[in-house]
Amino acid sequence: MVSSVQVALPALHIDLGIFYKLFTMLEKNCHKLDVRMAVNSDHHPTQAASTYSQYIQKIQEAEKQEHLAEQLKQTASTTQEQLTWLLLSGNVTQPAAANFRYIIKQALEKAIQLVAMM
């Protein structure tokens, strides 16, 4: 039997999870505000603002690449699930196989573009 001293309340774990989620949301919103301020500072250019604007442009490019990577990951996951279902169901037809080849070809092209952007 486990003593009550060695048991952690589930509420503590839940509270920590909620706090982490709220903190992450706050951090993202502060970053968005920071980016907006940087974009608005372009009206009064200085050396520091210019360097900061370049930094913001790099951040925005990285966010676009992350978004593309997430889309690619989602496409790969969906395609894998569909292919698994198709193979398990035993209904592998020529049009279905051609469709999967086309989807996989598009995903590979996106991956090549994403790598080329880096």
Side-chain angles (χ1 to χ4, degrees):
M1 182 160 183
V2 178
S3 71
S4 61
V5 176
Q6 296 175 336
V7 176
L9 297 175
L12 175 64
H13 183 71
I14 292 168
D15 288 343
L16 287 173
I18 291 171
F19 174 78
Y20 176 74
K21 184 173 184 170
L22 291 173
F23 179 78
T24 305
M25 288 171 52
L26 174 68
E27 192 175 35
K28 285 181 182 179
N29 286 331
C30 287
H31 177 69
K32 287 179 184 177
L33 178 62
D34 197 28
V35 169
R36 285 184 188 158
M37 288 171 50
V39 169
N40 289 335
S41 73
D42 286 341
H43 299 294
H44 308 290
T46 64
Q47 179 63 26
S50 174
T51 304
Y52 192 67
S53 295
Q54 292 172 355
Y55 169 75
I56 293 301
Q57 287 176 348
K58 295 294 182 184
I59 293 290
Q60 290 173 339
E61 288 174 16
E63 288 174 350
K64 287 178 186 176
Q65 289 179 355
E66 286 177 355
H67 181 69
L68 287 172
E70 187 59 37
Q71 286 179 336
L72 186 60
K73 183 179 176 183
Q74 184 64 34
T75 301
S77 177
T78 302
T79 305
Q80 182 181 10
E81 290 172 4
Q82 291 174 348
L83 184 58
T84 302
W85 175 252
L86 184 66
L87 291 173
L88 289 175
S89 68
N91 295 329
V92 181
T93 61
Q94 189 66 23
N99 185 35
F100 276 109
R101 271 189 242 123
Y102 177 73
I103 291 171
I104 291 169
K105 181 181 176 184
Q106 282 184 327
L108 285 173
E109 288 173 358
K110 283 183 182 179
I112 290 169
Q113 288 175 353
L114 186 61
V115 170
M117 292 172 71
M118 295 179 148

